[in-house]
Structure formats: structure tokens, C-alpha cells
Amino acid sequence: KLGAKIVITSRAMEKWDLKSARETIAIASLLGLSREQAVQAIGKNALEIIECREGERGGQTGEGAEK
């Protein structure tokens, strides 16, 4: 509604803790997001943030990267 980009993550520590895309979209719909917003929140929006941060770090990723 306000144009803010939302990112949904699981913060799963093990692969067994991950939820499927379908489950995550269903949870997002309970929070009031449309299907399109939910799909963007688990994919496109998160990828844009990662790419932006990598650009700020000069392409470095991982623990050795400095802010």
C-alpha cells in the first residue's frame, strides 16, 4: 500500500527447517500480502537487497567482506 518492499526469510539453520515457497506464500497471505507481493518478498526483493549490498562491498561476500 505504501510502496515499501517486504522481505520474508525463514532464518532456518538447517535445511529441514525451511518451508516451501507455497507454505511461505500462504503465511504471507495471512499477514495481508497478495500472492504477487508474497512471491516478490521471498524472491525478487531479497535478491535486490543482496545485489545492492554486494555492490557496496565491491563484490565481496562472506565473512571477509567489510562494510
Side-chain angles (χ1 to χ4, degrees):
K1 293 180 182 180
L2 300 175
K5 291 186 178 183
I6 297 170
V7 175
I8 298 174
T9 66
S10 67
R11 294 195 48 124
M13 300 299 283
E14 303 279 336
K15 65 181 179 181
W16 310 110
D17 297 331
L18 290 172
K19 299 294 182 203
S20 71
R22 182 175 292 191
E23 290 172 311
T24 306
I25 291 168
I27 292 168
S29 71
L30 293 174
L31 299 174
L33 273 65
S34 69
R35 185 182 191 290
E36 181 181 344
Q37 289 172 318
V39 169
Q40 289 179 352
I42 63 174
K44 179 183 170 199
N45 294 347
L47 183 59
E48 287 177 359
I49 290 171
I50 292 167
E51 289 173 346
C52 180
R53 293 295 294 165
E54 285 179 350
E56 291 174 3
R57 295 177 177 176
Q60 296 178 357
T61 58
E63 288 184 30
E66 294 183 19
K67 293 184 181 180

